[in-house]
Amino acid sequence: MADYHFVYKDVEGASTQWDDIQRKLGNLPPKPPAFKPPPFEPAPDQDSLPKDKSWVDNKTEEELEELEDDPDLDDDRFLDEYRKKRLAEMRETAKLSRFGSVLPISGSDFVREVSQAPPDVWVVVILYKEGFPECGLLMQCLEELARKYPATKFVKIISTDCIPNYPDRNLPTLLVYNNSAVKANYVGLHNFGRRCTPEGVALVLCQSDPVLNDGQSGGDQSRKTVIEGVRRSFIEKVVAQHEDDDDGSSSD
């Protein structure tokens, strides 16, 4: 017959009279405090939180659009106006983030990507071929300009994909488009000076039109404003290079 062994446990925290006597005599450790759960606190209701600028700033574009019909904002004209302002800023930022690099396209993409670009977008097209050092040099300059001026669209296309039988002696060729029309074209690397730097290419592109747009100067920027920005960038780059040269010579 099986031998069953039972262990009886009292309620947690309970103590016998004998245990209490032993504790008084010091024969047992002090009685541990009874477990007490923390008080229940319901999670805050997001709708009941105060609505201020930070509350609007934390919303995504989709959430801001949904707030258009929020009755609580109807009573707060400031918050409603601020919501509209934030939504416009987000849309403008998303619009500018489309660019920022030299996008490769094919002949079938040309009309959509270049000719049908929005009228407020300038498009710089480089006709090139792999294996031509001059094309590689100009491409490096355009990559840097594309990062610096993300509101200007830069695309590259193999020359014969764009224009059948296009002569290699004309490479690289740069085309500038705006509002479905060719605004300028530059055949050969010699158009950009002996060294062909990003700053030199930028100055050539902006000779007659505000082609380059960094997205920070507003949509009505003038050619003069763009050239001044390019020149300022060029001066800052030269000063930084001289400082690096001075540091290198002093360490020697």
Side-chain angles (χ1 to χ4, degrees), residues 36-238:
K36 184 178 181 182
F40 173 74
E41 293 184 2
D45 183 6
Q46 295 297 323
D47 293 334
S48 64
L49 294 177
K51 296 178 174 58
D52 51 14
K53 288 179 62 176
S54 61
W55 178 79
V56 177
D57 289 336
N58 291 328
K59 298 293 183 182
T60 64
E61 181 177 348
E62 292 77 11
E63 290 172 336
L64 288 177
E65 290 177 346
E66 293 175 358
L67 287 176
E68 186 173 357
D69 300 324
D70 191 330
D72 293 337
L73 289 185
D74 293 339
D75 299 331
D76 197 324
R77 184 173 301 176
F78 167 75
L79 275 183
D80 188 47
E81 291 298 323
Y82 187 70
R83 178 194 67 82
K84 293 177 180 177
K85 179 182 177 183
R86 285 286 298 141
L87 189 57
E89 290 173 351
M90 287 182 175
R91 287 172 175 169
E92 185 65 21
T93 301
K95 176 182 174 183
L96 297 179
S97 64
R98 292 180 298 176
F99 313 126
S101 63
V102 181
L103 174 70
I105 64 173
S106 63
S108 60
D109 300 327
F110 194 91
V111 172
R112 183 183 70 253
E113 297 291 346
V114 180
S115 303
Q116 296 179 352
D120 61 333
V121 173
W122 287 84
V123 186
V124 179
V125 185
I126 177 173
L127 309 186
Y128 78 106
K129 274 188 178 178
E130 297 290 350
F132 285 71
E134 296 86 353
C135 294
L137 180 57
L138 183 56
M139 191 75 74
Q140 290 178 2
C141 296
L142 296 182
E143 288 284 2
E144 182 170 332
L145 292 178
R147 290 190 295 269
K148 192 166 187 179
Y149 300 97
T152 298
K153 189 174 186 177
F154 289 82
V155 301
K156 61 182 179 181
I157 181 172
I158 296 175
S159 57
T160 49
D161 285 354
C162 183
I163 306 174
N165 303 317
Y166 191 73
D168 290 349
R169 66 177 179 274
N170 291 343
L171 299 180
T173 294
L174 222 56
L175 306 175
V176 179
Y177 275 76
N178 180 248
N179 202 14
S180 303
V182 179
K183 298 298 185 179
N185 64 83
Y186 307 95
V187 179
L189 196 64
H190 64 275
N191 289 281
F192 307 104
R194 291 185 301 174
R195 295 184 58 191
C196 188
T197 62
E199 293 76 21
V201 175
L203 289 174
V204 171
L205 289 175
C206 296
Q207 282 179 347
S208 57
D209 294 293
V211 176
L212 300 179
N213 186 352
D214 60 5
Q216 307 297 321
S217 306
D220 56 347
Q221 60 178 1
S222 65
R223 166 182 166 272
K224 181 180 178 181
T225 302
V226 175
I227 290 182
E228 287 177 352
V230 172
R231 287 175 175 165
R232 183 169 58 252
S233 174
F234 176 71
I235 293 173
E236 292 172 353
K237 184 175 182 179
V238 171

